[in-house]
Amino acid sequence: MLNLRKTLLCGQCFRWQETAPGVFSGTAGGRFLTVSQKDLPLLKADPFWCSYFDLGTDYDTLQRQLAVLYPTLREAAQLGMGIHILRQDPWEALCSFILSQNNNIPRIQGIINRLCGGQEESLPPIMSGLRQQKSLHPFPSAETLAGQTEQDLAPLRCGFRARYLLDAAEKVASGTVNLEALRTAPLEEARRQLMTIIGVGPKVADCTLLYGLHRMEAFPKDVWIKRAMAQWFPGVAPSSFGPAAGLAQQYIFCWVRQQAGRTVSHK
DNA sequence: TGCCAGGAAGGAA
DNA sequence: TTCCTTCATGGC
């Protein structure tokens, strides 16, 4: 069963926050939502959110399949039980992870909020219905960003990443990089195309593939994962985690971050 | 001031 | 290919 806290606060997305204990507010697909764990049936009934939270995929089975591969992975998978890989907008995911490089999560969130024109106000909780409305601060399109300059982006305070964002915008807006086509392209080819964007290396490409294009076999390797793989899975190739390697990566990421005390509590 | 953060890029081995 | 060094920025 989907665990909202683990899914929304485990570093795969940057536009959600816990606005009250157990209550999460965030933006996706131009919609703003305030939701808590008890609202899961309502999410299932809404086509957009059902897809966004990937409620049609059997994560319990995936989790069990991963857990039997390695004892350490079993431990990580148990901690990560309930994590879903969100179906985020690929353009937004690409930008988010371009901005993530050499950066920390709170500051990434700040930059993205400024990029979208501000923070959304959380909606008051009520007892029934889904608390959603049209977002006042949707993510800017590639076309919008493509017309801007580094000076225009100065207020974001994203530093050297501004020119990466602009190059991504130009390539996506012009069709030089066709994100939708990367959903079905061979993984290595999709990766290669993303890496034609200045400032997009293997890690940002893999994050875009996993979190934006739902390529579950993609396995982003950041410093945390590299350390964890070296210590706990020496000699193990990500491909040995199978077609849901990306989910394994997310379990491991949350697990090592929790061990280091660098994440929210997983109740 | 110095260190750190979900890297990328270029060059050397 | 893999490893190492440099680059570049804001927050604490």
Side-chain angles (χ1 to χ4, degrees):
Chain A
M1 185 176 73
L2 170 73
N3 181 301
L4 272 180
R5 174 180 280 106
K6 293 179 189 177
T7 298
L8 294 174
L9 304 183
C10 68
Q12 62 172 313
C13 54
F14 300 98
R15 296 201 73 194
W16 290 88
Q17 52 182 333
E18 191 167 13
T19 49
V23 180
F24 301 89
S25 293
T27 304
R31 302 151 196 248
F32 177 66
L33 175 72
T34 294
V35 65
S36 63
Q37 187 68 40
K38 65 174 171 53
D39 299 324
L40 202 51
L42 301 176
L43 292 178
K44 273 184 187 157
D46 182 291
F48 175 79
W49 294 112
C50 183
S51 166
Y52 179 76
F53 286 103
D54 200 24
L55 297 176
T57 297
D58 183 0
Y59 279 85
D60 291 342
T61 297
L62 292 178
Q63 194 250 8
R64 282 196 296 273
Q65 289 172 342
L66 290 171
V68 299
L69 295 179
Y70 301 92
T72 309
L73 187 55
R74 172 187 296 275
E75 196 176 323
Q78 278 178 343
L79 180 76
M81 191 183 301
I83 291 179
H84 284 204
I85 302 297
L86 297 170
R87 291 183 185 268
Q88 300 183 66
D89 175 71
W91 164 242
E92 181 173 337
L94 171 62
C95 293
S96 298
F97 286 96
I98 283 175
L99 293 169
S100 78
Q101 66 178 268
N102 256 48
N103 214 339
N104 58 61
I105 291 175
R107 196 158 77 95
I108 298 164
Q109 292 172 325
I111 293 170
I112 293 173
N113 277 326
R114 290 190 288 278
L115 178 59
C116 298
Q119 196 102 21
E120 310 267 6
E121 293 285 331
S122 63
L123 298 166
I126 62 167
M127 296 310 288
S128 65
L130 215 50
R131 301 289 75 213
Q132 66 172 325
Q133 64 185 25
K134 189 169 182 289
S135 170
L136 299 174
H137 305 287
F139 198 88
S141 67
E143 290 73 18
T144 300
L145 278 184
Q148 303 203 21
T149 66
E150 283 189 54
Q151 278 191 328
D152 294 330
L153 299 187
L156 300 182
R157 286 175 286 154
C158 65
F160 60 90
R161 306 165 190 88
R163 102 183 150 88
Y164 302 161
L165 214 52
L166 294 177
D167 190 61
E170 286 167 16
K171 286 194 167 77
V172 170
S174 68
T176 306
V177 173
N178 183 342
L179 293 176
E180 285 306 317
L182 303 187
R183 289 189 190 278
T184 52
L187 192 71
E188 277 311 310
E189 169 61 17
R191 210 163 176 254
R192 192 193 62 74
Q193 286 218 19
L194 286 168
M195 287 171 61
T196 62
I197 297 166
I198 298 172
V200 175
K203 196 271 180 177
V204 172
D206 285 339
C207 283
T208 304
L209 288 167
L210 179 60
Y211 304 122
L213 294 159
H214 214 258
R215 299 295 297 260
M216 292 276 271
E217 70 273 45
F219 191 92
K221 280 179 274 194
D222 71 313
V223 289
W224 293 89
I225 291 296
K226 284 177 185 168
R227 280 197 296 257
M229 292 299 287
Q231 182 174 358
W232 301 105
F233 303 92
V236 173
S239 57
S240 62
F241 294 140
L247 181 61
Q249 181 270 163
Q250 199 62 29
Y251 289 153
I252 296 167
F253 180 74
C254 295
W255 180 62
V256 293
R257 297 264 301 182
Q258 202 236 19
Q259 284 187 323
R262 301 297 289 274
T263 187
V264 294
S265 64
H266 285 166
K267 290 180 184 173

